[in-house]
Amino acid sequence: MKDDMLHALHKEIEKRHHELTDKRIATLYLGGGTPSLLAVDEIRALLDKNARYYDFDPEIEITLEANPDDLNAKFLKELSQSGVNRLSIGTQSFFEDDLKLMNRAHTAGEAEDSIKRAQDFGLENISIDLIYGSSSMPIWKENLQKAIQLQVPHISSYALTVEPKTALDKWVREKTVKAPNEEVQNEAFYYMSEFLKENGFVHYEISNFAKPDFYSRHNSAYWKGKPYIGFGPSAHSFNGGKIRSWNVANNALYIKGIAGGKRNFEEEILSPKDQLNELVMIGLRTIWGVELNKIVSTFENHILDEFYSLLYEKKKEGFIIEEEGFLKIPEKHWFLADGIASDLFLIDED
């Protein structure tokens, strides 16, 4: 299956590279599934394939998502010479009880050792994922302190959620584990924000913190609405305007479609209201906010009138502020950002 998948990926890149009209790319992201299961030669071949069709920026950011248990010394030594210059490691926690709760395959020791080992091979641009709301505040504080001690320059952190048909879902229903508590998660979120800022991080997106010069350039492009193209099962693409598409999630159907010269995918044409909703939803999650001039120059008056009516209420409540031509959510309300943004959504009547 892996060989078939790699063949399909190479073929999709060949067939679809023209969809990205700007051939100069500043970021490339190997994610989804577990790309760290690939051999480094296979990763390098994918990079070389893209380099045939795109002009890599001299300072290109090339990120690989990885599980801690995949990052052995041999792999990292080869990876450090492959062109990959940023790692996103699915750490989740540095404590065994948390990892068991989240049904993770790696141990607490592997979580820490994988980071140290990557740094030893010169891969210092590292992001780790941390999950909050899974344990007590003292444990959460120790998790954050461990990240500081390890000198990780980027942290992505998310609240624990109970997904259907998972082990955690079963344990919660059986009452062997308590369901996540929103008040506890709120406390953990704001403690994290203050603690990381005190330690030199910038809280630049609701779930993302970085030392200066270590922002995720790839994700920042998403949040700023720039076009991108994705290859592989479930991969999403966006033309920067109103067309969004995504490949079928099923591996076998993806491979079969590419092999037969027919990409299995779905496509969505965003209405003007959909485009505004997305612009607001994504922008309000960041320190940059949403540029008012972009809204005014893009959308027609009847849409603007409807939006301004909703915006007025949010401004009056103090949930939205305007700074130098940008709409922003004050950081004290960031935990509620998704709900605030959704209150500004416009609904298509048809």
Side-chain angles (χ1 to χ4, degrees):
M1 172 69 84
K2 188 174 82 163
D3 288 345
D4 290 340
M5 178 64 73
L6 284 168
H7 180 74
L9 277 169
H10 281 267
K11 195 166 183 180
E12 188 184 8
I13 294 167
E14 290 173 8
K15 296 293 184 183
R16 295 186 58 217
H17 68 88
H18 64 278
E19 292 178 24
L20 203 59
T21 54
D22 185 354
K23 298 303 180 186
R24 188 173 184 84
I25 61 171
T27 70
L28 197 154
Y29 198 99
L30 299 167
T34 314
S36 54
L37 288 176
L38 296 176
V40 174
D41 283 348
E42 293 166 337
I43 292 170
R44 191 182 289 112
L46 285 170
L47 300 183
D48 290 344
K49 174 66 77 170
N50 279 283
R52 287 178 57 185
Y53 299 109
Y54 301 107
D55 179 17
F56 284 14
D57 187 284
E59 302 297 320
I60 189 171
E61 172 193 276
I62 302 178
T63 303
L64 177 77
E65 280 190 356
N67 288 329
D69 43 318
D70 294 329
L71 298 177
N72 59 57
K74 179 179 182 297
F75 180 83
L76 285 166
K77 181 180 180 180
E78 294 176 0
L79 190 71
S80 67
Q81 302 164 0
S82 70
V84 171
N85 53 24
R86 184 175 184 270
L87 278 178
S88 177
I89 304 177
T91 306
Q92 315 299 359
S93 175
F94 295 104
F95 287 87
E96 294 292 351
D97 287 345
D98 286 349
L99 294 172
K100 288 176 183 175
L101 185 69
M102 292 180 272
N103 204 29
R104 301 295 296 179
H106 64 273
T107 66
E110 286 172 329
E112 182 173 346
D113 291 345
S114 65
I115 295 167
K116 292 177 178 177
R117 200 178 294 121
Q119 292 166 333
D120 288 342
F121 284 103
L123 292 161
E124 297 181 351
N125 191 354
I126 294 172
S127 175
I128 63 171
D129 291 345
L130 289 178
I131 304 296
Y132 59 89
S134 63
S135 55
S136 66
M137 277 300 293
I139 293 295
W140 177 234
K141 291 177 180 180
E142 287 190 51
N143 260 319
L144 293 170
Q145 186 62 52
K146 175 64 72 174
I148 298 299
Q149 291 170 355
L150 290 168
Q151 299 183 346
V152 171
H154 190 284
I155 296 171
S156 297
S157 191
Y158 308 95
L160 179 69
T161 56
V162 182
E163 300 294 340
K165 299 180 181 178
T166 61
L168 180 57
D169 178 42
K170 179 174 180 287
W171 296 334
V172 168
R173 283 188 283 105
E174 291 175 349
K175 299 190 176 177
T176 54
V177 170
K178 289 183 180 179
N181 181 292
E182 188 170 320
E183 287 185 13
V184 172
Q185 291 182 336
N186 190 326
E187 181 185 1
F189 174 84
Y190 285 110
Y191 174 83
M192 168 177 59
S193 180
E194 291 306 311
F195 176 80
L196 291 178
K197 283 191 289 185
E198 289 168 5
N199 283 277
F201 284 77
V202 178
H203 192 179
Y204 72 107
E205 193 268 350
I206 288 175
S207 300
N208 287 273
F209 304 79
K211 292 288 184 72
D213 300 325
F214 285 94
Y215 293 16
S216 168
R217 289 162 57 194
H218 187 82
N219 288 341
S220 295
Y222 283 151
W223 300 324
K224 293 178 180 179
K226 295 183 179 179
Y228 56 86
I229 188 168
F231 305 114
S234 296
H236 282 60
S237 302
F238 178 54
N239 74 343
K242 62 180 182 179
I243 302 176
R244 184 176 301 289
S245 67
W246 55 96
N247 287 342
V248 65
N250 182 279
N251 288 354
L253 288 177
Y254 166 77
I255 292 169
K256 183 179 179 181
I258 297 296
K262 181 181 178 183
R263 174 186 167 218
N264 286 323
F265 73 102
E266 293 184 56
E267 186 175 84
E268 179 183 16
I269 307 298
L270 301 176
S271 70
K273 288 186 178 180
D274 289 335
Q275 292 175 58
L276 179 54
N277 292 344
E278 185 157 303
L279 184 67
V280 168
M281 177 182 67
I282 296 172
L284 288 180
R285 292 181 60 90
T286 72
I287 57 171
W288 304 295
V290 183
E291 186 179 8
L292 265 175
N293 278 345
K294 184 173 183 179
I295 292 175
V296 171
S297 62
T298 304
F299 300 100
E300 296 182 359
N301 286 338
H302 70 281
I303 290 178
L304 294 177
D305 289 344
E306 189 176 343
F307 175 71
Y308 286 145
S309 175
L310 298 173
L311 179 63
Y312 174 78
E313 292 300 320
K314 287 295 152 196
K315 280 186 170 181
K316 189 169 68 172
E317 293 166 354
F319 289 121
I320 298 283
I321 57 174
E322 185 177 334
E323 288 184 349
E324 299 179 349
F326 286 81
L327 300 176
K328 301 179 181 181
I329 297 176
E331 194 173 359
K332 66 181 180 180
H333 297 309
W334 269 22
F335 190 73
L336 306 172
D338 287 344
I340 295 169
S342 67
D343 287 343
L344 294 171
F345 286 178
L346 306 183
I347 308 299
D348 281 309
E349 295 176 2
D350 54 357

